[in-house]
């Protein structure tokens, strides 16, 4: 080619190193080149983490514009920074042979902090943050931005920080990998991490043909799979997604992908080895698996991250249950109460008990923690709730009568129960309804505290449209930390009776199931 190839690049030290590497390879093949440094938005805005800037392609946008304006012929990028969908008219022209794929931990003093409960680690990457917290949940992550040298300097000057995480390839390419550093082989890197990419105009066939001369096919195959996986999960810099792919000596394609919640508490991982001729389906298989295992909920939560929570559940909901909510719902859930079974002696069940009252699944769990099912020879079992009935009949024995509320059950016992004595397996925080009604009707109630209920509700900031309650105890627990505001969506009448003491608008599910309570919420948003 007679004309000089204009190589566009960011002007950071690392980007210039990468551009000069491309320049060297092209000139080795006899092509004339010149570097054209361009400053990017990602280099100019250093006071916020990348995921807060809300821009995909933050390090590539300026170079894309320069190329479309024909100010440059090719652009050199770190492939992990490039959006999975390129601007119209721009294509991937080549990738160089991949470098170090690992994330590298640079630490101060020694590695003892890794086993400490409290430690401070710096990173501006949401993916690194999430994986670190998944492995070290008690550590604190702080943000850090800037070029490699400035981040190393910030680590050195900040006395409270124990370590910072870098891309191993960047440190190695600049020749500044500190002695006190280790590769984090357990951390799944960003898709295409360690690879250098060249873009060109789709219409410029001559430039594309020249770039193809320095393309590394193995790196191209592996990074394409990783990036397709990223694209199918609809993630970019704003999602904690990792992926790594390599081809072994047997020409098998090895893949590992991961999606996490921002705080690292949730992690969905996929690992697969296929033959080289099956590589085209690998990214789809991986993405479909992660989506099916709850990935859609995680992605939705990440995309809604800036929106305020409007629905709170006092019971930890599963990913499948969270997916049932209306699109306008930003739900948060946690267990407002903790249940601990008490230790019960044989004397509790030594003699055959004629009438037994059970009002929750927790009581069933507590009994079976202490005794085997054959030991629980109860003549008549009375319970509250269909779910409790199913649990009892599956694990202990036949239920004589099931009611929808504690009051309904008590009234039934007064009228139909055999004898004048009943044993009530309950919690330390049980309601007075059953003992009060039965004692008023000359029925003796022997209360056995089968389990302990502890309040463990969170304090919720801001106003809510509604709160999901699943027992009277969850109402009490929530109000220990929060004021009554919004609608009380209740699983049953007993819970609703407690909620009405504090909430003006109380709605009760038609069926005592979580899914039925969610339907109540969705009806509000229609």
């Amino acid at each position: 080619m007679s004309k000089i190839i204009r190589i566009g690049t960011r002007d950071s030290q690392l980007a210039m190193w990468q551009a000069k590497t491309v320049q060297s390879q092209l000139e080795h093949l006899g092509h004339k080149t010149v570097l054209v440094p361009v400053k990017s938005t990602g280099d100019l805005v250093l006071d916020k983490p990348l995921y807060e800037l809300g821009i995909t392609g933050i390090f590539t946008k300026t170079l894309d514009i320069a190329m479309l304006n024909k100010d440059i012929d090719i652009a050199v990028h770190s492939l992990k920074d490039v959006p999975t969908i390129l601007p119209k008219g721009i294509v991937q022209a080549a990738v160089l042979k991949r470098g170090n794929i690992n994330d590298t931990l640079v630490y101060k003093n020694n590695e003892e902090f890794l086993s400490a409960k409290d430690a401070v680690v710096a990173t501006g990457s949401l993916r690194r943050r999430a994986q670190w917290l998944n492995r070290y949940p008690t550590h604190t992550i702080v943000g850090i931005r800037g070029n490699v040298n400035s981040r190393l300097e910030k680590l050195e000057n900040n006395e409270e920080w124990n370590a910072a995480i870098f891309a191993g390839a960047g440190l190695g390419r600049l020749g500044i990998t500190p002695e006190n550093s280790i590769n984090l082989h357990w951390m799944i890197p960003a898709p295409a991490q360690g690879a250098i990419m060249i873009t060109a105009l789709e219409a410029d066939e001559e430039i594309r043909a020249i770039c193809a001369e320095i393309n590394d096919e193995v790196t191209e195959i592996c990074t394409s799979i990783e990036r397709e996986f990223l694209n199918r999960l609809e993630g970019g810099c704003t999602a904690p997604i990792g992926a790594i792919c390599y081809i072994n000596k047997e020409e098998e394609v090895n893949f590992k992908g991961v999606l996490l919640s921002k705080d690292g508490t949730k992690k969905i991982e996929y690992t697969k080895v296929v033959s080289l001729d099956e590589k085209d389906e690998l990214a789809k298989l991986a993405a479909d698996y992660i989506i099916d295992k709850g990935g859609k909920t995680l992605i939705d939560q990440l995309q809604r991250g800036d929106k305020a929570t409007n629905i709170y559940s006092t019971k930890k909901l599963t990913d499948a249950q969270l997916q049932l909510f209306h699109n306008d719902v930003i739900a948060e859930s946690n267990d407002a109460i903790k249940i601990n079974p008490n230790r019960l002696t044989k004397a509790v069940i030594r003699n055959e008990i004629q009438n037994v009252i059970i009002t929750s699944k927790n009581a069933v769990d507590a009994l079976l923690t202490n005794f085997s099912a054959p030991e629980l020879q109860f003549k008549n079992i009375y319970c509250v709730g269909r779910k409790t009935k199913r649990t009892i009949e599956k694990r202990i024995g036949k239920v004589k009568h099931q009611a929808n509320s504690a009051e309904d059950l008590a009234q039934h016992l007064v009228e139909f129960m055999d004898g004048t004595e009943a044993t009530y397996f309950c919690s330390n925080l049980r309601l007075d309804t059953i003992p009060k009604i039965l004692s008023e009707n000359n029925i003796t109630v022997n209360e056995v505290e089968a389990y302990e209920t502890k309040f463990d509700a969170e304090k919720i900031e801001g106003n809510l449209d509604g709160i999901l309650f699943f027992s009277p105890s969850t109402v009490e627990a929530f109000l220990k930390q929060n004021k009554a505001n919004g609608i009380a969506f209740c699983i049953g009448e007993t819970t609703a009776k407690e909620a009405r003491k504090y909430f003006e608008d109380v709605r009760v599910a038609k069926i005592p199931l979580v899914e039925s309570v969610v339907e109540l919420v969705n009806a509000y948003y229609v």
Side-chain angles (χ1 to χ4, degrees), residues 243-260:
I244 184 61
C245 182
Y246 66 91
I247 300 173
N248 61 23
K249 293 179 181 179
E250 289 75 31
E251 294 197 337
E252 294 174 321
V253 183
N254 293 252
F255 178 88
K256 181 178 283 189
V258 68
L259 169 68
L260 302 99

Side-chain angles (χ1 to χ4, degrees), residues 294-308:
K296 184 179 184 302
T297 299
L298 281 186
I299 292 293
D300 287 346
Q301 289 171 348
L302 288 162
Q303 290 175 341
R304 297 174 179 179
D306 294 334
K307 298 180 182 178

Side-chain angles (χ1 to χ4, degrees), residues 46 105-111 113-114 118-124 132 139-166 180:
L46 302 178
L105 183 74
V106 178
Y107 55 89
K108 293 156 69 174
N109 303 323
N110 54 55
E111 301 171 53
F113 77 94
L114 291 173
D118 298 316
V120 180
V121 176
T123 177
W132 190 271
H139 287 186
T140 299
I141 300 293
V142 295
I144 184 173
R145 288 290 313 282
N147 60 42
V148 178
N149 284 307
S150 69
R151 281 182 282 153
L152 285 171
E153 186 177 348
K154 288 176 183 178
L155 172 62
E156 182 66 28
N157 293 337
N158 198 307
E159 295 181 1
E160 296 180 357
W161 295 2
N162 296 100
I165 309 174
F166 298 80
N180 51 332

Side-chain angles (χ1 to χ4, degrees), residues 257-325:
V258 68
L259 169 68
L260 302 99
S261 59
K262 282 186 178 181
D263 60 5
T265 56
K266 294 180 181 178
K267 177 182 177 182
I268 309 171
E269 195 169 275
Y270 179 83
T271 303
K272 186 77 172 178
V273 179
V274 301
S275 61
L276 194 56
D277 59 3
E278 296 176 295
K279 70 180 187 305
D280 293 340
E281 293 297 315
L282 188 49
K284 182 179 185 301
L285 285 172
D288 287 350
Y289 174 89
I290 284 181
I291 289 169
D292 289 345
K293 291 297 182 180
K296 184 179 184 302
T297 299
L298 281 186
I299 292 293
D300 287 346
Q301 289 171 348
L302 288 162
Q303 290 175 341
R304 297 174 179 179
D306 294 334
K307 298 180 182 178
T309 299
N310 52 22
I311 290 293
Y312 182 78
S313 170
T314 55
K315 172 184 173 65
K316 187 71 175 177
L317 302 180
T318 66
D319 288 336
Q321 289 166 342
L322 287 168
Q323 288 183 36
L324 298 174
F325 281 111

Side-chain angles (χ1 to χ4, degrees), residues 18-229:
Q18 293 176 161
K20 287 176 181 178
T21 300
V22 171
Q23 182 181 43
S24 174
Q25 293 191 22
L26 289 175
E27 292 189 346
H28 180 73
L29 295 174
H31 303 290
K32 296 178 181 179
T33 68
V34 63
L35 296 181
V36 183
V38 179
K39 196 170 281 290
S40 78
T41 306
D43 293 318
L44 293 172
V45 184
L46 302 178
D47 59 343
K48 291 183 179 180
L50 284 181
Y51 59 87
E52 286 186 5
L53 295 176
I55 304 172
T56 58
I58 190 168
F59 288 126
T60 63
K61 189 175 182 180
T62 311
L63 289 170
D64 290 338
I65 293 170
M67 182 175 291
L68 292 170
N69 287 337
K70 298 186 178 180
D71 295 326
I72 58 176
D73 299 301
I74 63 174
V76 180
H77 307 285
S78 290
L79 185 48
K80 73 179 180 68
D81 295 332
V82 180
T84 54
I85 299 177
L86 298 177
K88 187 176 181 180
I90 295 176
V91 295
Q92 177 175 307
V95 288
L96 305 191
K97 187 174 181 180
R98 200 172 198 170
N100 184 356
I101 62 167
N102 291 296
D103 294 294
T104 297
L105 183 74
V106 178
Y107 55 89
K108 293 156 69 174
N109 303 323
N110 54 55
E111 301 171 53
E112 292 180 3
F113 77 94
L114 291 173
S115 59
K117 181 180 179 182
D118 298 316
V120 180
V121 176
T123 177
S125 161
L126 201 58
R127 172 189 59 82
R128 291 168 183 157
R129 171 194 173 92
Q131 290 192 76
W132 190 271
L133 289 175
N134 179 264
R135 192 177 180 94
Y136 303 102
T138 62
H139 287 186
T140 299
I141 300 293
V142 295
I144 184 173
R145 288 290 313 282
N147 60 42
V148 178
N149 284 307
S150 69
R151 281 182 282 153
L152 285 171
E153 186 177 348
K154 288 176 183 178
L155 172 62
E156 182 66 28
N157 293 337
N158 198 307
E159 295 181 1
E160 296 180 357
W161 295 2
N162 296 100
I165 309 174
F166 298 80
L171 294 171
R173 286 165 179 166
L174 296 178
I176 55 174
T177 304
E179 291 185 11
N180 51 332
S181 64
I182 50 174
N183 277 333
L184 300 174
H185 297 290
W186 56 267
M187 185 174 281
I188 300 177
Q193 184 159 301
I196 298 171
M197 174 212 206
I198 303 169
T199 58
L201 289 173
E202 186 175 14
D204 197 335
E205 294 182 5
E206 187 176 10
I207 286 288
R208 288 169 55 200
I210 291 171
C211 292
E213 297 176 40
I214 59 174
N215 183 62
D216 183 79
E217 185 179 2
V218 171
T219 301
E220 180 186 13
I221 291 171
C222 293
T223 55
S224 295
I225 292 170
E226 294 165 19
R227 284 167 55 76
E228 183 188 345
F229 168 74

Side-chain angles (χ1 to χ4, degrees), residues 312 314-315 334-338 454-458 474 477-478:
Y312 182 78
T314 55
K315 172 184 173 65
N334 215 335
D335 291 322
I337 57 173
K338 301 295 184 187
K454 293 182 177 180
F455 295 140
D456 195 34
E458 296 178 325
T474 58
F478 180 82

